[in-house]
Amino acid sequence: MSVPDFFSEVALDLHQQPTAEKTVERITEHARTAAGCDDAGIMLVHSRTRIETAASTSPRVTRSHELQHELDEGPCLDALESGGSYLCTDVQTDERWPRWGRAAAELGIHSAMSVLLETRDRRYGSLNLYADRTGAFDSNDLATAMIFARHASIALANAHHEAGLLTAIDARKVIGQAQGILMERFDIESDRAFDVLRRYSQNHNQKLHAVATWVVENRKRPVSEFPATVRVELSDVASTSDGDHQPA
């Protein structure tokens, strides 16, 4: 398969993944093929003290990432902090990361590359490629990895965007269902139903979606069995609604 055809197939495959989790898994699998390496992983670093391996092709990749966090050095961390890309042909002798290099070599890793996963709007993390032998990568491999990372970054951004939209849509559906339940049981208008959800959310420091989910999941329970704090909120709304309606 030609290089353009390969990247076209990768773009289509990543676009078809159903979740962000599946997307990052496929990115690492395709990256290993693109770079001709032994292992690949995606590291999401929010700070030097908060690290996450989002996907890896083997346990040693995860351990390699953990070591960078523990030792506070490594190509993945530097790629994220500097915004650059890093090529290492012999981790054991590379003076930039002496402690991590020795530890990585003990895992059987001897060559490494780290490139950014980012769009113009957001930096997601780093794509990290590993090989069992020294001298496995050169500047051409790094250039290929950087091109691949651009495709992967777009796929990752789309996956996160779609996941966010789906979460927002689901939240609105649940809130709407909870409003409907309160409207029926207390014979109140939509605005009043939403008001009780909002007030309970604020008064008890809970997310509105969580409150709505509780109402939906407990829709068949008598109000007398609800927690006292819930009954107070519901009773307040019922007592201020038009008419003298009583909880069902």
Side-chain angles (χ1 to χ4, degrees):
M1 183 184 295
S2 67
V3 172
D5 287 343
F6 170 76
F7 280 110
S8 295
E9 288 296 323
V10 168
L12 289 173
D13 182 56
L14 295 180
H15 179 70
Q16 292 172 351
Q17 297 308 308
T19 64
E21 290 76 13
K22 288 293 185 181
T23 300
V24 294
E25 289 176 6
R26 292 297 289 163
I27 288 173
T28 56
E29 294 168 7
H30 286 306
R32 186 163 55 177
T33 301
C37 61
D38 297 294
D39 272 317
I42 291 176
M43 175 192 278
L44 302 180
V45 177
H46 307 281
S47 69
R48 282 273 184 175
T49 58
R50 186 181 173 195
I51 185 171
E52 175 190 0
T53 297
S56 64
T57 56
S58 76
R60 72 173 180 175
V61 173
T62 302
R63 182 56 185 153
S64 170
H65 293 171
E66 291 172 348
L67 285 168
Q68 295 192 52
H69 171 61
E70 294 170 8
L71 300 172
D72 198 30
E73 65 175 44
C76 310
L77 292 179
D78 283 357
L80 282 161
E81 292 193 349
S82 70
S85 300
Y86 289 83
L87 169 65
C88 179
T89 57
D90 187 350
V91 299
Q92 199 163 9
T93 61
D94 198 309
E95 296 180 354
R96 291 173 293 182
W97 318 290
R99 293 180 297 164
W100 174 81
R102 289 192 297 270
E106 292 179 359
L107 297 174
I109 294 171
H110 293 282
S111 295
M113 288 192 296
S114 292
V115 297
L116 281 176
L117 292 170
E118 65 174 354
T119 62
R120 291 179 179 177
D121 300 322
R122 178 177 174 181
R123 183 172 296 176
Y124 289 94
S126 62
L127 173 65
N128 311 304
L129 309 168
Y130 302 104
D132 296 344
R133 63 184 178 87
T134 59
F137 303 128
D138 59 21
S139 58
N140 290 328
D141 295 314
L142 182 61
T144 299
M146 292 172 67
I147 294 172
F148 177 87
R150 291 172 189 163
H151 288 272
S153 298
I154 293 172
L156 194 57
N158 289 337
H160 276 275
H161 178 65
E162 290 179 5
L165 286 178
L166 290 174
T167 298
I169 291 171
D170 288 342
R172 287 197 294 270
K173 286 181 179 178
V174 172
I175 292 170
Q177 290 173 351
Q179 283 180 262
I181 292 168
L182 296 181
M183 289 168 65
E184 179 181 358
R185 299 193 71 173
F186 293 92
D187 192 18
I188 57 178
E189 298 298 323
S190 175
D191 289 345
R192 286 187 179 274
F194 182 79
D195 186 56
V196 72
L197 294 172
R198 180 185 57 79
R199 283 196 297 165
Y200 187 86
S201 170
Q202 294 175 343
N203 293 343
H204 300 278
N205 194 29
Q206 295 185 24
K207 291 185 177 180
L208 184 60
H209 178 256
V211 176
T213 299
W214 189 94
V215 171
V216 171
E217 291 177 349
N218 293 274
R219 69 177 77 190
K220 295 183 178 180
R221 293 174 60 181
V223 173
S224 60
E225 296 181 6
F226 282 15
T229 51
V230 177
R231 294 201 304 270
V232 168
E233 295 291 340
L234 295 176
S235 298
D236 285 348
V237 170
S239 64
T240 57
S241 62
D242 295 334
D244 296 322
H245 303 289
Q246 296 298 320

